[in-house]
Amino acid sequence: MADKISVPRVKLSNDAEIPIIGLGTWKSEPEAVKNAVKDAIDIGYRHFDCALAYENEDQIGDAIKEKIDEGVVVRKDLFITSKAWNTYHPRKLVKDGLKNTLSNLKMEYLDLYLIHWPIAYKEGTELFPKDESGKIVTSDVDYLETWKGLEDCCREGMVRNIGLSNFNSVQIQRILDICEIKPVMLQVECNPYLNQEKLFQFCKDKKLALTAYSCLGSPARPWVQASDPVLLNDPVILNLASKHSKTSAQICLRYLIQRGIVVIPKSTNRGRIESNFNVFDFELPEEDIISIKSLNRNFRAVALEWIKDHPHYPFNAAF
């Protein structure tokens, strides 16, 4: 499979390149993610999206090491992304968080490191610090300080590219106004129900690439409600899947890929991992793209409403 499919790459503003499809690992159980990553490498994936807060990087590192030791891949052929977690926002702590990730992944460097959220949590050993009532304890550290920490890591060769996740256009501009090393990527929730057209255009104007998480609507998110819309069951998507003899997931992924957006669908099921990868043998015509665009309802599956009172909460801005 790996030598049959040539995966397109998106060129970043610094001329680095990222495969347009990768494997997402959020909510992948540690015991399942190891096999998922090994399966993905065998299928042909070379891009893996990780985060310290997912608490499964150790198993991902084990899987990648096994495949390197087997001679299936070499490190330079892989593109590995991770994210600076909210409890490591002070500049002096950013490097500590990255060291933890590198140790877990058993790597000397990352290809891309993102600020996971613009919101800081109380520093300490707990990834999700809570008070006696169970509310997340936040911190007032400005993400501009966190960005300086990412720049430090980049200069030291611990990471080759740096960027942002879950930032709005105003927050991105604040970074651009003070940065010495420019962000090359923004990772946000993006799918036909939240097509991010204005934010995507803003990023193109500022020379940031876009990665879509929850690109299939995040149907397995922990807080899903029975009343929430289900993207993969949308009649328009189902009709297009039938028309092209593809799955609903393949239609959603192809829609994003044709816009030039990087996708990181998550699965631990080998069949779905392979199916999600097989999106390069067809193209959606313009009328299909228009139909899918019409589905936008600005529905956000990952809204973190329990911290929406934080001054850096990103989803109060227009885009």
Side-chain angles (χ1 to χ4, degrees), residues 141-166:
V141 177
D142 194 317
Y143 52 80
L144 297 185
E145 178 180 339
T146 315
W147 184 255
K148 291 300 178 184
L150 264 68
E151 290 181 333
D152 295 338
C153 294
C154 196
R155 291 188 189 97
E156 292 189 27
M158 300 171 72
V159 58
R160 296 187 170 177
N161 306 279
I162 51 179
L164 307 166
S165 178
N166 299 301

Side-chain angles (χ1 to χ4, degrees), residues 154-222:
C154 196
R155 291 188 189 97
E156 292 189 27
M158 300 171 72
V159 58
R160 296 187 170 177
N161 306 279
I162 51 179
L164 307 166
S165 178
N166 299 301
F167 277 57
N168 63 43
S169 59
V170 176
Q171 294 168 330
I172 295 167
Q173 189 61 55
R174 284 191 74 215
I175 295 284
L176 292 172
D177 289 343
I178 61 93
C179 66
E180 295 175 45
I181 301 174
K182 289 185 177 181
V184 298
M185 178 66 73
L186 174 69
Q187 184 178 130
V188 290
E189 180 178 351
C190 184
N191 58 61
Y193 281 172
L194 182 69
N195 69 23
Q196 300 280 21
E197 192 62 50
K198 289 182 179 178
L199 185 59
F200 184 37
Q201 186 59 54
F202 175 87
C203 286
K204 284 200 277 190
D205 293 343
K206 303 295 181 179
K207 297 182 169 54
L208 275 78
L210 196 78
T211 294
Y213 75 74
S214 295
C215 44
L216 304 179
S218 195
R221 61 192 180 278

Side-chain angles (χ1 to χ4, degrees), residues 110-125:
L110 292 179
D111 297 278
L112 178 62
Y113 200 44
L114 311 173
I115 300 180
H116 204 150
W117 290 88
I119 300 163
Y121 289 178
K122 179 185 176 184
E123 301 80 30
T125 57

Side-chain angles (χ1 to χ4, degrees), residues 23 51-52 76 100 108 116 210 221 250 294 296:
L23 183 72
L52 184 67
K76 69 179 179 65
N100 287 342
E108 295 181 356
H116 204 150
L210 196 78
R221 61 192 180 278
Q250 288 170 325
S294 73
N296 182 58

